[in-house]
Amino acid sequence: MSALHEPQWREWRAALTSPRMHHAWILAGRRGLGKHDFALAAARELVGAVRSAPVAENDPDIQILTHLPKDDKEARKAEKGEDFETKRNIAIEQIRGMQARLTTRPTLGDRRAIIINPADDLERNAANALLKSLEEPPAGTFFLLVTHRPGMLLPTIRSRARILRFNPLPVSAVEAALRSAADDVDPADIAIAAQASGGAPGAGEALLSQKLGAAEALMRRIASEGDPDFTLRGKLGEEIGGRPDRERIATTLDLARTVLARRLEEPVKRDIPALVDAHARLVTISGQAKSYNFDPGFLAMEIGTLLASAAPLRAPANG
């Protein structure tokens, strides 16, 4: 972990040893950069620094708020350790439950840490309730808000927290992380996933597990060649699948944003405003994906059309 996020660890540990540690932190960066793992490790350092008792795996002084199972059926799957569907948002009841615990002292020491992941999925009333705790935090309580889209947070929450930014990692670091996590996967597939990850190991892992390598190749073709006869968009729809789950849709949208971002780095003639607008539209769709049930065919067409707008401008024919 430290090897992957050395600058962030330096900033965190400098603050940890300072006389006035800030009580709220926003861990901001694209999905898949390892922000949750960082938050958990940082929380363990935080609570463990002021007590003699070791920090347990499920330590009572570290509370994690995230998406709950969708319903009782999915909750039973979660209890069995099976994959399960989650609710789309973090609800106000979860925040109120956390706040009830804040009326008591930490269990084993003088500090407790609250991790909210992802904080940009807080319901509006949940975000407003959280704000009250950020305005008047109990002594020894620290908040770590993991966010993929910090602009989705209330401005009043952002103003009360210190931002720790996570930038994309080098492709070599992503490839090394993927190799260590999936040593039984074809090295060629790992290399492709690392290149397409946008510098996020989690995105690379999702690409491998979702088998979206062919979709990524189609996206790159559309963004570089265009798709005047809609043939590539049709193939992209086939690769996404007729009934993709929310995780596959989220990974597909992340992948499309990465392809567009890489187009900005290439020295070719293009319509920059159109490319920026296309990326902004993908960000909007990604935000809506939690709440809307997109038709897969429409989604593939929309992604393909936005990618096609990134194709290099061609000079008009003479005549």
Side-chain angles (χ1 to χ4, degrees):
M1 176 64 65
S2 296
L4 289 180
H5 299 299
E6 290 181 2
Q8 290 78 13
W9 277 117
R10 284 196 298 269
E11 185 173 345
W12 171 261
R13 286 168 177 157
L16 192 60
T17 56
S18 70
R20 297 188 65 182
M21 174 75 168
H22 203 287
H23 72 280
W25 292 70
I26 292 174
L27 279 56
R30 67 160 295 179
R31 188 187 304 272
L33 285 171
K35 301 186 298 298
H36 176 79
D37 290 341
F38 182 98
L40 187 55
R44 286 172 174 162
E45 283 195 1
L46 176 77
V47 301
V50 292
R51 75 185 201 197
S52 57
V55 181
E57 181 175 352
N58 295 309
D59 198 90
D61 290 331
I62 299 175
Q63 185 176 2
I64 301 173
L65 302 184
T66 189
H67 298 109
L68 295 175
K70 179 181 177 181
D71 51 33
D72 291 344
K73 177 183 177 182
E74 299 303 315
R76 288 192 290 273
K77 290 182 182 178
E79 291 172 357
K80 296 177 183 178
E82 301 173 357
D83 292 337
F84 61 95
E85 288 189 55
T86 64
K87 295 182 178 179
R88 289 170 173 164
N89 297 103
I90 297 173
I92 188 172
E93 289 78 14
Q94 294 173 259
I95 298 298
R96 287 174 174 163
M98 174 268 292
Q99 290 171 328
R101 292 182 59 177
L102 297 187
T103 61
T104 63
R105 291 179 53 82
T107 304
L108 299 176
D110 295 329
R111 292 176 179 172
R112 61 157 58 91
I114 311 296
I115 299 172
I116 302 180
N117 178 29
D120 30 299
D121 280 350
L122 286 163
E123 292 178 348
R124 181 78 179 191
N125 53 2
N128 286 324
L130 173 65
L131 181 59
K132 296 179 181 178
S133 294
L134 297 182
E135 290 173 338
E136 299 179 6
T141 296
F142 298 84
F143 294 87
L144 295 96
L145 311 181
V146 176
T147 176
H148 316 310
R149 296 166 291 153
M152 298 293 291
L153 296 177
L154 292 176
T156 43
I157 287 180
R158 296 200 302 270
S159 69
R160 285 165 173 77
R162 178 171 170 176
I163 295 182
L164 187 58
R165 298 191 182 280
F166 288 72
N167 298 316
L169 301 174
V171 171
S172 58
V174 176
E175 189 167 350
L178 294 180
R179 281 200 304 270
S180 64
D183 54 7
D184 59 342
V185 178
D186 189 324
D189 291 337
I190 289 177
I192 291 171
Q195 286 288 340
S197 69
E205 291 176 7
L207 285 169
L208 289 174
S209 65
Q210 295 280 356
K211 302 186 185 305
L212 284 168
E216 190 270 344
L218 283 166
M219 290 182 189
R220 282 189 287 108
R221 279 192 64 188
I222 294 170
S224 62
E225 304 171 10
D227 185 28
D229 61 0
F230 290 78
T231 299
L232 296 179
R233 271 168 274 198
K235 292 180 179 179
L236 179 61
E238 293 174 3
E239 291 296 334
I240 294 174
R243 298 184 64 185
D245 58 21
R246 281 189 292 177
E247 182 180 354
R248 188 170 182 82
I249 288 174
T251 302
T252 300
L253 289 165
D254 283 346
L255 189 55
R257 293 206 306 273
T258 299
V259 170
L260 280 181
R262 289 167 66 184
R263 292 295 295 166
L264 276 170
E265 301 171 358
E266 298 174 0
V268 296
K269 186 179 179 182
R270 63 173 60 80
D271 184 347
I272 295 294
L275 182 54
V276 172
D277 288 346
H279 190 274
R281 174 60 181 157
L282 280 173
V283 171
T284 299
I285 294 173
S286 298
Q288 294 170 339
K290 285 282 184 181
S291 303
Y292 298 169
N293 292 318
F294 288 112
D295 175 81
F298 165 80
L299 185 64
M301 192 63 63
E302 181 78 356
I303 290 173
T305 299
L306 294 171
L307 290 170
S309 69
L313 298 175
R314 291 172 171 77
N318 293 331

